[in-house]
Amino acid sequence: MNIAAAVNENFANYSNYLIRSAMFVYTLAFLAHLAEWVFGGRSKIAVQSAALTEEGRAQQAAAEEAEAARRRAAQQVTVKTAGGGTVTLERPAVVTRASASDRGMEDGPGAAGGNEKGDLYGRIAVSFTVLAWLLHAGGVAFRAASVERAPWGNMYEFSTTFGAVAVGTYLVLLALRKNVRWIGLFLTTTVLLDLGLALSVLYTSSEQLVPALHSYWLWIHVSCAIISGAVFYLAAVGTLLFLFRDHYEVAVAAGRADDGRWGDIMRRLPAAATLDKFAYRMNALVFPLWTFTIIAGAIWAQAAWGRYWGWDPKETWAFITWVAYACYLHARATAGWKGRKAAYLALIAFACFLFNYYGVNIFVGGKHSYAGV
């Protein structure tokens, strides 16, 4: 028995060491991503931006006016009147609903902005992120070995696993050749905060759970919640950046775009329409899994407490989060909401998810409180 306890303690120490090592490498990845944004971009983008002079804008406006006149002429129909004269009528215009963010602007070239030095820093950042994720995943695995169960029985374990899944999802998207390297700086920043909070505030020593949590539903229900939260997080990053990029595109359309460092950063991001589509697809992709998470939790509650639903604070806020994301997806699908209105709704939904995790666990008591911080 003492030997087993000593082995588990060693596994716990290995886990802490790997998590701290991962934080160090994540810091290097953060600095490399920061260098990518700082040193990349000015070369080619500045030249392309300078080409858009007042004369070029005037020529573009003249071309648009000529195209509008051609369309008006195509809509006109000349008919004869009863008195033998003629009159020109216009066909009613067909109005289609379009996204406010879809202005025909192309995606930016990425954080490096086509600059070789910036691209080098970006590739170094991705390499550091891969190494940090391997250490991070190893720390989660050793934590599982030390407690001999699923490594997400309390807030510390949930937080460390959540960060590993978020980074792993990002790396999978990169492996699939998706243009998502722009997430890297924001992701490494958030993961560092997540792990720092986990180690300094949420840390709980390795121990077994109360009997109610000894169930295979711990593997199913909580793992689905972690995956759902990680994808919701990536979608929230895309949504937040969409709001900034959309504001910039409005300024460009009005001829008052910022040509300084902020404008340079905005030009390197994907177009607002692309960011909007990315966030929508990520939320829509994982929403069924979040639905299953709530259903699995209800089944587990029946096995543990003898009832499927009791409006426990955790259950209530999980349902509120589900309703918020359902409203977002429903508005996008039926009401045609796109752009800022949908973005605000998506951020409210993610704020509900965060409160369900941090706010309910720390400040609100309930049946889920016995797992500890």
Side-chain angles (χ1 to χ4, degrees):
M1 185 66 178
N2 292 333
I3 295 178
V7 170
N8 290 342
E9 184 179 356
N10 287 334
F11 283 153
N13 293 334
Y14 294 152
S15 174
N16 295 338
Y17 174 77
L18 288 174
I19 294 295
R20 285 181 167 81
S21 299
M23 288 186 65
F24 174 74
V25 183
Y26 277 131
T27 302
L28 297 179
F30 163 78
L31 294 175
H33 273 301
L34 188 63
E36 178 187 18
W37 282 97
V38 171
F39 296 108
R42 290 303 297 177
S43 56
K44 292 185 178 181
I45 293 179
V47 173
Q48 295 171 358
S49 176
L52 189 61
T53 60
E54 291 295 335
E55 180 181 358
R57 279 195 285 266
Q59 292 176 353
Q60 182 180 2
E64 291 175 354
E65 179 61 29
E67 177 64 18
R70 185 192 67 78
R71 291 180 179 178
R72 286 195 299 270
Q75 292 292 329
Q76 293 177 347
V77 179
T78 302
V79 298
K80 291 184 178 181
T81 63
T86 60
V87 63
T88 301
L89 303 176
E90 291 190 3
R91 296 189 182 96
V94 178
V95 179
T96 58
R97 184 187 297 269
S99 170
S101 62
D102 191 1
R103 304 181 181 88
M105 291 192 175
E106 296 183 354
D107 292 344
N115 184 289
E116 293 184 1
K117 185 177 182 181
D119 184 65
L120 175 61
Y121 282 121
R123 287 186 281 112
I124 291 174
V126 172
S127 299
F128 278 138
T129 303
V130 172
L131 176 58
W133 180 79
L134 292 174
L135 294 171
H136 191 168
V140 172
F142 271 108
R143 177 73 177 197
S146 69
V147 294
E148 300 179 347
R149 55 168 172 78
W152 42 73
N154 50 57
M155 287 189 70
Y156 167 75
E157 296 170 357
F158 188 101
S159 295
T160 54
T161 308
F162 173 87
V165 173
V167 176
T169 304
Y170 165 70
L171 294 178
V172 168
L173 292 175
L174 286 179
L176 294 175
R177 300 187 180 278
K178 302 297 182 181
N179 181 24
V180 294
R181 203 166 81 186
W182 46 270
I183 300 178
L185 176 62
F186 310 96
L187 178 63
T188 52
T189 303
T190 307
V191 170
L192 281 171
L193 292 174
D194 174 60
L195 294 181
L197 182 64
L199 288 171
S200 61
V201 178
L202 305 177
Y203 183 78
T204 303
S205 59
S206 299
E207 58 186 20
Q208 292 301 317
L209 301 176
V210 296
L213 293 183
H214 282 286
S215 171
Y216 59 88
W217 285 108
L218 176 66
W219 290 90
I220 300 173
H221 169 64
V222 184
S223 64
C224 290
I226 291 172
I227 296 171
S228 299
V231 179
F232 282 148
Y233 161 75
L234 294 178
V237 172
T239 300
L240 190 61
L241 292 180
F242 157 77
L243 291 174
F244 288 114
R245 171 74 186 203
D246 185 67
H247 179 77
Y248 169 76
E249 290 184 3
V250 170
V252 169
R256 50 181 174 80
D258 181 10
D259 291 329
R261 172 57 67 178
W262 178 252
D264 173 54
I265 292 174
M266 289 296 103
R267 279 188 290 270
R268 284 183 268 169
L269 287 173
T274 301
L275 291 169
D276 187 38
K277 185 183 299 182
F278 169 81
Y280 171 69
R281 287 179 174 177
M282 296 295 280
N283 284 325
L285 175 68
V286 80
F287 180 73
L289 185 63
W290 180 248
T291 304
F292 174 75
T293 300
I294 296 176
I295 295 173
I299 297 173
W300 189 10
Q302 167 63 21
W305 304 318
R307 90 292 188 277
Y308 288 100
W309 196 267
W311 296 106
D312 181 77
K314 196 75 171 177
E315 298 168 346
T316 302
W317 276 96
F319 179 69
I320 291 173
T321 302
W322 184 90
V323 170
Y325 275 109
C327 290
Y328 163 77
L329 296 174
H330 178 74
R332 290 288 302 249
T334 60
W337 273 25
K338 295 182 181 180
R340 295 185 182 182
K341 292 188 294 184
Y344 294 142
L345 190 54
L347 291 179
I348 290 173
F350 185 67
C352 292
F353 176 85
L354 289 180
F355 181 78
N356 184 39
Y357 176 50
Y358 287 104
V360 173
N361 283 7
I362 295 176
F363 303 111
V364 183
K367 284 185 173 296
H368 290 76
S369 302
Y370 54 56
V373 176

